[in-house]
Amino acid sequence: MASALDEDTQQSLAEGRESAKAFLRSIQKDLQKVFVVFLLGFLATFWALRMYVWEFLYTVTKSNMSPAVAAEADVIATTPFEVILLQAKIGLIVGAIVAIPPLIYVSRDELRARGAWPQSPIPRWKLAGVGLLGGGLFTVGVGYGIYAFFPIMFSFLAGFGLEAGIQPTYSIVMWTEFIVFLSLSFGLAGQMPLLITGLSYSGIVQYETFRDKWRYAVVAIFVFGAVFSPPDPFTQLMWAFPLIALYGFSLYLAKLVVTAQRSSDRIDVLGAVRNHWNVVGGAAVLGGGLVYAFYEYGGRTAFNDLLRLANSDWRFLEPGAGLGVDPATAAGIYAAVWALAFVAVATLWAVYADLDTTSAGYQYGDPAAIDVSELDAAGVRAAPDDAFAEMGEEESLALAQAAIDDDDPERAQAILDRFDEVNEGGGGADGSEDGDGTGDAGASGSGGAGDQGGLMGTMQDRTSRASSTFLSELTDGEEEAAEDDIGGYYTDVKFIFDSLRSRSFRLVAVFGAVMAAAFTWLYLGGLATVRNDLERRVPAEIEGGINIITLHPVEALIFMVKFSILLGIVAVFPVVLYYAWPALRERGFVAGRVTQVYLWTGALFGGLIGGFALGYAYVAPGLIGWLVTDARLADMIITYQVSDFLWLVIYTTIGLGFLADIPIAMVLLNNAGVPYDVFRTRWREVTVGIMLFAAVFTPADVITMLLATLPLMAAYGVGVGLLFLVTFGGRRNLSPPSKVIGR
């Protein structure tokens, strides 16, 4: 049997395997040392977890909780061996992380031979300095997560759970992994200064890119925090602000290094400190003085009052509280740390202030790194050739189009002229390329309508040339082959999605509004309301009601997010159908006017609400009561995991509405032009789709997925039977079959 890989790919894989073997053979004698480091890290972590870490993390978890909440919070083991397996798992991870630096160090010769290490020798003290800096940043990040972020986070999560009637009883595996891996993420985030500086210095990513894209970085930080932190504004700000400040510090550090590189200047830290000793000393006094004033003149009390007004349980504690240090010594340590931080920032400023940023070497240190989009027309013409040498024609067209969008045709023409001058031997300098004088017009800076029209014509001509190669490959024979291969559905689907593109903002707005409203309702008490209402329906002979626990710290929040997303999808479906109906009708998928969407919406929502009412009034209370009674008769302690209990409620309420909607939707689709034979013969594809849906929207359990799949398939069977009766076995559909579905 022929290989699925072509010869070039097979050769590349073979060369990669040989290179990896040679690399491992070359460092084989040092791998034992690396393994010893790994083993020491593994054993030390295993021992520390057993002797100290569990108690320490438990103390951190309860440190900011109120006494009432702390009394209810607990950590449990759910299987006999999970504690020792968890210790081994964390030990392996920490051992691997500890072994990475020595592995890189012993591999430096091989990395240098492959161009992945600087060719000139690097002094060991510099490597040690980088290692210490990276370790220090990692430690600061982890320390911030453990001592500042987690106490507040667990206090909020436990309090929120108790208000909703959910017991904060965390699984030791989920609880520990949550703390450890999120702490590692803080530690890795602390490497941001080294990462950005290293990428900027090496030229892999230009400093200007990090500088100009800071808005995207801020948005990414807030989005990441919204996903991994509770929906408490104070906690999210505690997540985002330090990372944003760290990104700004990273930008300044990268600017310092790149400036020194481009100006060929030498960084002299001690000399800069001597030259600006007054600023550095003043920064030290300011940093220590702020800490002293914060504790001595009521700063801590004022902040705690603000936190109390914000309904936050977190408070600024007395100096040394929980650390076993007296307040005076702790305040001195805090002041010294803040003084050193201010000294570090002032030192960086002093070093940058002493660099030569006016020399030609700095100004044109890396011509290719110049951001042409930031230059005006005169700056574009004065920019060095290297700024355009590696620029593609599509990129030059994009820059010119952006200039036209900014109502600056002169800059657009200058970009095209300079690109032609560098890449085509000066054809665009005098406008002779197109023979219409657009180059001269652009150079004159008249910016008139005729000049802009000529410029647009030039850009259209260039765009045609840039895409001609691609278009020539799409021959009629190839299009027909693609049509036969995929049945033409790709073109249809693309056409439908293109019709929705202009409405995407409205669709996102509807989805976001419904999702936000649902999450807000659950967050502000809806979860507790549903839980208490269902508990009241438990049979009277069952004492104590239902005990619902959360094994993962954010389990309840994850459920709330998933449920809100599900409601958002349901709400946006009729809007999508309304805007896509003309395209669906044009491609032959449906028949009839767009007003049929109102019929669809009314029928589907009627079935959904009817099924929900039936389930909430009778099915869900009856099933839960039967399960509780059965467990009590077997002398079991009734303790349900919050996600399983709430998904059971969803399946027995809204789930019934979805089941009722399946036959209704099939009748509506038949009325829109989908023939009965399609539903009867495509049951295999429907089964696969239902299983995928169940895998996404059910808990990670095979039995639960099957329990969700079987009712959906049964509802589909009911729909096929109903259509058989309505269409007389397919002999008379409610609407003539469409030309696409019927082909």
Side-chain angles (χ1 to χ4, degrees), residues 372-373 375-377 380 399 402-403 406 408-416:
V372 177
S373 64
L375 304 177
D376 57 11
V380 170
L399 291 173
D406 294 337
D408 193 351
E410 182 181 357
R411 179 158 61 93
Q413 186 63 58
I415 292 172
L416 296 178

Side-chain angles (χ1 to χ4, degrees), residues 34-50 84-99:
V34 176
F35 178 75
V36 169
V37 175
F38 163 78
L39 189 60
L40 291 175
F42 170 78
L43 294 176
T45 304
F46 197 93
W47 174 79
L49 285 170
R50 187 175 184 83
I84 191 170
L85 292 177
L86 177 62
Q87 292 177 180
K89 180 179 180 180
I90 296 176
L92 290 173
I93 295 173
V94 174
I97 293 175
V98 171

Side-chain angles (χ1 to χ4, degrees), residues 213-524:
K213 304 299 182 182
W214 66 270
R215 296 176 181 84
Y216 299 99
V218 172
V219 172
I221 288 172
F222 272 102
V223 170
F224 194 72
V227 173
F228 289 98
S229 66
D232 173 41
F234 184 71
T235 309
Q236 290 189 3
L237 293 179
M238 281 193 63
W239 173 287
F241 280 179
L243 294 184
I244 293 174
L246 191 64
Y247 187 82
F249 173 75
S250 304
L251 283 182
Y252 188 84
L253 193 61
K255 180 180 180 180
L256 175 67
V257 173
V258 171
T259 300
Q261 180 190 34
R262 293 180 181 179
S263 62
S264 301
D265 205 349
R266 180 175 176 271
I267 295 179
D268 184 6
V269 178
L270 295 179
V273 172
R274 284 194 300 268
N275 294 336
H276 302 278
W277 64 269
N278 54 338
V279 176
V280 176
V285 174
L286 178 62
L290 288 176
V291 174
Y292 176 80
F294 179 79
Y295 287 106
E296 185 68 21
Y297 295 105
R300 187 178 70 89
T301 304
F303 270 97
N304 286 339
D305 291 340
L306 291 176
L307 293 173
R308 191 176 294 107
L309 291 176
N311 294 323
S312 175
D313 294 331
W314 189 81
R315 298 291 183 269
F316 283 97
L317 304 178
E318 290 279 352
L323 301 179
V325 182
D326 62 275
T329 304
I333 295 174
Y334 296 166
V337 170
W338 277 93
L340 289 176
F342 275 58
V343 165
V345 174
T347 301
L348 289 176
W349 172 85
V351 171
Y352 181 77
D354 282 358
L355 289 177
D356 182 10
T357 60
T358 60
S359 64
Y362 168 76
Q363 188 175 0
Y364 302 110
D366 188 1
I370 293 177
D371 190 354
V372 177
S373 64
E374 299 293 332
L375 304 177
D376 57 11
V380 170
R381 295 192 182 91
D385 293 347
D386 291 348
F388 300 90
E390 299 181 1
M391 184 183 296
E393 187 167 9
E394 293 183 1
E395 183 180 356
S396 67
L397 289 171
L399 291 173
Q401 183 61 54
I404 291 177
D405 294 340
D406 294 337
D407 197 20
D408 193 351
E410 182 181 357
R411 179 158 61 93
Q413 186 63 58
I415 292 172
L416 296 178
D417 289 345
R418 292 290 289 123
F419 176 79
D420 290 340
E421 181 181 347
V422 174
N423 294 278
E424 300 179 11
D430 56 1
S432 60
E433 179 186 21
D434 299 311
D436 56 10
T438 56
D440 295 335
S444 66
S446 61
D451 297 329
Q452 189 166 349
L455 173 61
M456 293 300 296
T458 301
M459 292 183 62
Q460 292 173 0
D461 177 65
R462 294 174 189 227
T463 304
S464 299
R465 288 191 286 107
S467 60
S468 60
T469 303
F470 172 74
L471 292 176
S472 64
E473 295 177 355
L474 298 179
T475 61
D476 294 338
E478 290 173 334
E479 290 180 350
E480 293 176 359
E483 189 84 8
D484 294 336
D485 290 340
I486 60 177
Y489 286 112
Y490 172 77
T491 304
D492 297 332
V493 172
K494 184 177 182 299
F495 180 80
I496 294 169
F497 274 101
D498 288 342
S499 69
L500 293 173
R501 186 176 302 171
S502 61
R503 311 288 186 177
S504 58
F505 178 79
R506 298 182 183 180
L507 299 178
V508 172
V510 172
F511 172 81
V514 174
M515 177 183 170
F519 184 87
T520 302
W521 177 73
L522 291 171
Y523 175 71
L524 295 179

Side-chain angles (χ1 to χ4, degrees), residues 19 53 76 79 98 105 117 159 177 247 265 315 330 338 402 407 434 445 464 476 484 501 580 604 614 627 629 664:
S19 178
V53 175
I76 63 173
T79 61
V98 171
Y105 181 76
W117 190 272
E177 289 182 347
Y247 187 82
D265 205 349
R315 298 291 183 269
W338 277 93
D407 197 20
D434 299 311
S464 299
D476 294 338
D484 294 336
R501 186 176 302 171
L604 292 176
L614 176 65
L627 293 173
T629 304
I664 295 174

